Amino acid sequence: MPEAGVKFPEYSSIEPLDTDLTEMAKQPIRIGRSFHTGMEEFPLVVGPFGVRPITDPEEAAKDLALTTISILINGKDPAILAIVDEVAPVLGPNAKWAEYIEVGLDEGPARGHWRRLMAVYTPNFPGFGSVMEEAWTKVHSDGEAKGEAKAVLRVLRTRGVEVPESVEERVMACLDLEVLETWLDRSLSVESAEELFGEE
């Protein structure tokens, strides 16, 4: 229930949204009774007006947050691909901002171009499915598989089992960790390297 004596504005008294939304959002928010303003808040508003594209890497490095906002606001600019080319070397190593940009850009050429530029960096938002996460996951899973494959071959050789080149190539080419774990278990007891593969 509204507090007794508090008068809420009628909807008809609110200015319609036919003026620049950014300028309207900048208007101070007055808190208090109608006869006395106890506090006034001045919102910090960032909109499509007055936020120019940032294309200088040195300027971009001074304020990564503003550079990110600038890219998102100017995402429809015809020159957006050239803009992101200039700032990618600055934002790329800071994966947090890089992923904000990918998330914020609409599907289309700009986002696809950004994904190609960022494919070498590390994810900060696991589960989003960004290109950085995909690349990071592939690199790390491939690395783990290579380590497991080397372990299989090392166990065989340590036990004195001869490892033909064809077996080594097949083991090292495998990226399936579950299969490699099976082979590692078998490497502890097989008499020949070919027995690793069982009846596969």
Side-chain angles (χ1 to χ4, degrees):
M1 292 292 292
E3 182 184 341
V6 175
K7 184 178 180 182
F8 292 94
E10 298 292 334
Y11 285 107
S12 59
S13 67
I14 298 175
E15 184 180 358
L17 298 179
D18 57 359
T19 58
D20 174 28
L21 183 61
T22 304
E23 289 303 315
M24 191 177 77
K26 289 180 180 178
Q27 297 304 309
I29 300 170
R30 294 177 176 83
I31 301 171
R33 301 285 187 167
S34 58
F35 58 85
H36 175 71
T37 299
M39 182 168 53
E40 216 169 30
E41 294 285 343
F42 294 85
L44 176 61
V45 178
V46 178
F49 303 99
V51 180
R52 61 180 175 74
I54 295 175
T55 56
D56 178 14
E58 288 187 13
E59 182 184 357
K62 292 177 182 176
D63 194 334
L64 299 180
L66 180 60
T67 302
T68 299
I69 291 170
S70 171
I71 290 173
L72 297 181
I73 287 175
N74 294 285
K76 301 296 186 184
D77 190 307
I80 188 61
L81 301 188
I83 292 170
V84 298
D85 278 342
E86 293 298 320
V87 298
V90 176
L91 289 167
N94 296 275
K96 175 178 68 175
W97 299 113
E99 288 190 79
Y100 281 139
I101 291 170
E102 183 181 337
V103 172
L105 285 173
D106 291 335
E107 291 291 344
R111 189 175 190 188
H113 186 64
W114 185 254
R115 284 175 61 87
R116 286 189 292 277
L117 291 172
M118 295 294 107
V120 297
Y121 299 110
T122 306
N124 275 291
F125 298 131
F128 172 71
S130 66
V131 67
M132 282 168 283
E133 181 178 5
E134 291 169 6
W136 184 90
T137 301
K138 184 178 188 314
V139 166
H140 283 73
S141 62
D142 287 0
E144 189 176 348
K146 293 297 182 189
E148 195 86 356
K150 287 179 180 179
V152 170
L153 299 174
R154 184 173 182 180
V155 168
L156 289 173
R157 288 176 176 136
T158 300
R159 293 184 54 238
V161 177
E162 184 180 348
V163 180
E165 188 176 337
S166 59
V167 171
E168 181 173 355
E169 288 176 355
R170 181 173 174 182
V171 171
M172 291 304 299
C174 182
L175 297 177
D176 188 322
L177 287 172
E178 193 172 323
V179 170
L180 286 165
E181 286 171 2
T182 299
W183 290 351
L184 183 58
D185 290 341
R186 290 176 182 170
S187 70
L188 297 170
S189 58
V190 294
E191 296 298 324
S192 69
E194 290 80 359
E195 291 179 45
L196 280 178
F197 312 128
E199 298 180 359
E200 297 172 24

